């Protein structure tokens, strides 16, 4: 029996109706198509109060057996993974399902040899090399919980995440290539580990061939370890509700939280959405340009494609190296059929000029996709015409780290598409729009807060070590609903258009940051008293980061040297505390922030000024010091 594949609009509609009428029947039929050691006792248990969501509990499985072992008979010699390096002149790597299976088993044995076991948390901080995919699957093979940290985060960020999950091991590399740059990854890990006593072992993959500091009894080279292990490794039998991974993501308050996904539901959901949204065919080459450090990489570079027996392309580089034609060159080189990228990449390549695209045929492309942030109509049209050659359907996929997989999207060529609209909910997904006071908006052509009213298998189960935070963040604003933090609009026919975050989260180039998180980082800079951060529209990044900063000694607006100096201090503090990706685009020095009498910063005003809308700031009479608004307006960057 195969997983349900929808091929027509009528089938979509019928499946959707069935999934709402009988969600449990719908998802158990999908779950039945996987290899289980033992079927579940209860298909679904749930309440959104606690919250408690359990899918297929009592079911026994290992996700890697479904990603690898079950394909060996039919697809053993089929390509599972193509790796394209940063430098186009370096040799690419291809691994068949049989080879990938063997490598995962070997790596799993290396983990075991070094003391890892089921339930341990293992931090992975690595570049986009095949060993990253292998390491991730190796953790899953032995039942260890992986926590992949994007290799652009700072030592401080790694340390925070390792401490939160009490990881016992780190999997890393000597260094990494990113465009023209080479970055000393191991050195960053060493710095992080100064404050992480829980880490007992570090396994290092050689990528650059650099001499690195190896701590005795703690650090080992992967290539040495591989010589000592067997190539067979029986998969650990997991409960469907055992955690598979933790992935940290930013929210509107405090430090990033560890979103927890479990084995069974996540497996069913990523496979189902992968096959149906992209309309994957057996011979397709699929390329998702995300980094495995984000949820998109987890679900649509590793798990979704491998569960479906697809060929997944892993790219080490960046879209603009050696030039802005790199994506298109890779598509032609490997005959990519399905291409999945982010609006920010599309916009930056659009700005680089058409010549880079026109130099390649892109004939192999059949489906193109977008994820991570709203895609504006101009970018959508450019993508459609110049990349998709007006013949490939575009899937604009809306989802989140917390949702595990795609929630709202058209299905390529099956359900219709509309620029800037994610469009249709997946079968099994029951989105609703709520008013600010929590009433369901039933009519179309309305805007509201996007919530989901019934559980789906891929949803988060908790936030690691702090279930109350999970409840408060997602389930307490509106009783009985999962609250996404996004605002959305339904058009006359019922298609959804995502408007953007309604909370204090900024989406920069598809990466999420809490304003508080960036403010905390800025406040670490010497001489800073306080700061307030807001997002503003940015042509390439979608949203840019605009910081208002109050310093101990006011900086005169005409003192360029002092401004530059302080800017440098602030950027350094942000890079040290979060990483380069969170650097503010604009920093305005102010003598105070607009606050209410109770001390609350009125971000609405700051947002408007940053957006360039200074004429209509609304009521400012409740401010402690209304004069500050004039100063802020005058100094706008
Ligand atoms: O605001 C939405 C935006 O990205 C947020 C989720 O970010 P993250 O957990 O990092 O996951 C990104 C990749 C799945 C959402 O709350 N977002 C994601 N996809 C879209 C989007 N906004 C508009 N359209 C999308 N297709």
């Amino acid at each position: 029996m195969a997983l349900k594949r929808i091929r027509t609009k009528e089938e979509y509609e019928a499946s959707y109706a069935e999934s709402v009428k009988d969600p449990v029947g719908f998802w158990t039929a999908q779950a039945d198509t996987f290899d289980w050691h033992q079927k579940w006792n209860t298909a679904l248990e749930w309440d959104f109060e606690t919250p408690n969501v359990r899918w297929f509990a009592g079911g026994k499985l290992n996700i890697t057996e479904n990603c690898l072992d079950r394909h060996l008979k039919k697809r053993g010699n089929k390509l599972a993974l193509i790796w394209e390096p940063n430098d186009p002149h370096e040799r690419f790597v291809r691994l068949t399902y049989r080879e990938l299976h063997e490598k995962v088993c070997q790596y799993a044995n290396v983990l075991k040899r070094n003391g890892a076991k089921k339930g341990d948390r293992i931090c992975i901080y690595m570049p986009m090399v095949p060993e990253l995919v292998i390491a991730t699957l190796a953790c899953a093979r032995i039942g260890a919980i992986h926590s992949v940290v994007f290799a652009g985060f700072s030592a401080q960020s790694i340390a925070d995440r390792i401490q939160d999950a009490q990881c016992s091991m780190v999997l890393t590399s000597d260094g990494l290539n990113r465009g023209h740059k080479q970055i000393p990854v191991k050195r960053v890990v060493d710095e992080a580990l100064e404050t992480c006593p829980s880490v007992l072992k570090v396994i290092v993959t050689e990528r650059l061939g650099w001499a690195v500091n190896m701590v005795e009894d703690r650090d080992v080279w992967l290539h040495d370890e591989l010589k000592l292990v067997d190539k067979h490794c029986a998969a650990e039998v997991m409960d469907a509700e055992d955690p598979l991974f933790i992935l940290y993501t930013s929210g509107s308050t405090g430090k990033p939280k560890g979103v927890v996904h479990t084995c069974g539901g996540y497996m069913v959901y990523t496979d189902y959405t992968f096959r149906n949204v992209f309309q994957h065919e057996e011979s397709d080459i699929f390329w998702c340009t995300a980094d495995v450090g984000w949820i998109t990489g987890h679900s649509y570079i590793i798990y979704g494609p491998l569960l479906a027996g697809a060929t997944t392309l892993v790219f080490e580089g960046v879209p603009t190296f050696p030039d802005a034609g790199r994506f298109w060159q890779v598509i032609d080189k490997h005959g990519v059929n399905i291409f999945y990228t982010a609006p920010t990449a599309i916009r930056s390549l659009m700005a680089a000029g058409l010549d880079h695209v026109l130099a390649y045929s892109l004939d192999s492309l059949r489906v193109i996709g977008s994820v991570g942030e709203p895609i504006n109509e101009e970018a959508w049209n450019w993508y459609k015409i110049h990349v998709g050659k007006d013949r490939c359907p575009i899937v604009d996929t809306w989802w989140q780290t917390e949702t595990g997989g795609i929630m709202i999207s058209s299905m390529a060529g099956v359900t219709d598409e509309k620029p800037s609209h994610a469009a249709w909910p997946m079968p099994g997904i029951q989105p609703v729009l709520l008013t600010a006071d929590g009433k369901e908006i039933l009519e179309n052509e309305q805007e509201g807060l996007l919530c989901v009213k019934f559980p789906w298998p891929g949803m988060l189960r908790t936030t690691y070590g702090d279930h109350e935070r999970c409840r408060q963040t997602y389930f307490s604003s509106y009783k009985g609903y999962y609250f996404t933090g996004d605002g959305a609009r339904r058009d006359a026919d019922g298609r959804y258009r995502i408007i953007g975050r309604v909370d204090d989260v900024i989406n920069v180039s598809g990466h999420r940051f809490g304003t508080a998180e960036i403010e905390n980082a800025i406040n670490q800079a010497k001489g800073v008293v306080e700061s307030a951060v807001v997002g503003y529209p940015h042509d390439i990044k979608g949203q840019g980061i605009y910081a208002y900063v109050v310093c101990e000694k006011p900086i005169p607006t005409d003192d360029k040297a002092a401004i530059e100096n302080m800017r440098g201090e602030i950027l350094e503090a942000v890079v040290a505390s979060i990483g380069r990706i969170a650097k503010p685009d604009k920093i305005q020095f102010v003598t105070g922030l607009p606050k209410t009498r109770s001390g609350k910063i009125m971000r609405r005003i700051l947002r408007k000024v940053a957006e360039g809308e200074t004429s209509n700031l609304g009521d400012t009479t409740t401010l402690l010091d209304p004069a500050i608004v004039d100063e802020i307006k005058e100094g706008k960057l």
Side-chain angles (χ1 to χ4, degrees), residues 534-545:
V534 296
Y536 73 98
H538 187 288
D539 285 350
I540 305 285
K541 300 178 176 185
Q543 278 191 299
I545 301 174

Side-chain angles (χ1 to χ4, degrees), residues 296 372-374 396-401 486 498 501 507 512:
T296 309
E373 50 177 316
D396 175 359
T397 64
W398 173 82
W399 58 295
Q400 310 178 296
T401 304
D486 279 321
I498 310 301
R501 303 289 305 194
N507 192 331
R512 264 163 78 169

Side-chain angles (χ1 to χ4, degrees), residues 288-396:
C288 164
T289 68
D291 192 288
V292 170
W294 312 112
I295 191 68
T296 309
H298 282 60
S299 301
Y300 300 109
I301 291 178
I302 303 184
Y303 290 110
L306 295 177
L307 285 164
T311 303
T312 184
L313 193 145
V314 177
F315 177 49
E316 183 186 31
V318 295
T320 48
F321 175 81
D323 61 48
R326 183 65 163 132
F327 272 3
W328 324 128
Q329 183 248 336
V330 173
I331 290 172
D332 277 5
K333 178 173 175 182
H334 294 288
V336 171
N337 307 101
I338 309 176
F339 177 66
Y340 188 33
T341 195
T344 188
I346 298 168
R347 286 191 296 261
S348 76
L349 297 177
M350 190 168 118
L354 215 46
D355 290 353
H356 292 289
V357 196
L358 297 181
Y360 300 95
S361 86
L362 306 184
D363 276 351
S364 57
L365 284 181
R366 200 166 51 73
V367 173
I368 55 180
S370 164
V371 59
E373 50 177 316
I375 177 164
N376 48 310
E377 263 193 76
E378 196 192 350
W380 194 97
N381 284 319
W382 186 89
Y383 196 31
K384 179 86 184 170
I385 292 163
H386 298 298
V387 179
K389 309 292 180 197
D390 221 6
R391 85 188 136 69
C392 302
I394 297 186
V395 289
D396 175 359

Side-chain angles (χ1 to χ4, degrees), residues 53 259-261 402-403 458-463 470 474-475 482:
V53 174
V259 168
V260 175
H261 285 286
E402 295 85 347
T403 70
M459 71 186 293
L460 87 164
R461 300 298 195 262
T462 187
T463 47
C470 172
Y474 307 105
F475 298 92
Y482 164 78

Side-chain angles (χ1 to χ4, degrees), residues 410-435:
S410 53
M411 291 183 182
V414 171
T415 50
D416 57 88
E417 62 189 30
K418 180 175 171 185
S420 298
H421 286 68
W424 307 106
M426 288 290 110
I429 303 306
Q430 301 185 35
V432 290
L433 297 180
L434 297 188
T435 60

Side-chain angles (χ1 to χ4, degrees), residues 85-123:
N86 178 62
D87 176 353
H89 302 297
E90 189 180 341
R91 182 94 193 120
F92 57 86
V93 169
R94 287 173 167 178
L95 297 175
T96 63
Y97 269 92
R98 200 175 312 287
E99 288 164 337
L100 182 61
H101 176 262
E102 192 174 301
K103 285 185 183 294
V104 169
C105 288
Q106 284 174 322
Y107 203 128
N109 284 331
V110 169
L111 294 178
K112 286 205 227 172
R113 225 185 85 76
N114 283 279
K117 55 185 189 319
K118 178 176 177 177
D120 287 357
R121 277 80 56 217
I122 297 184
C123 172

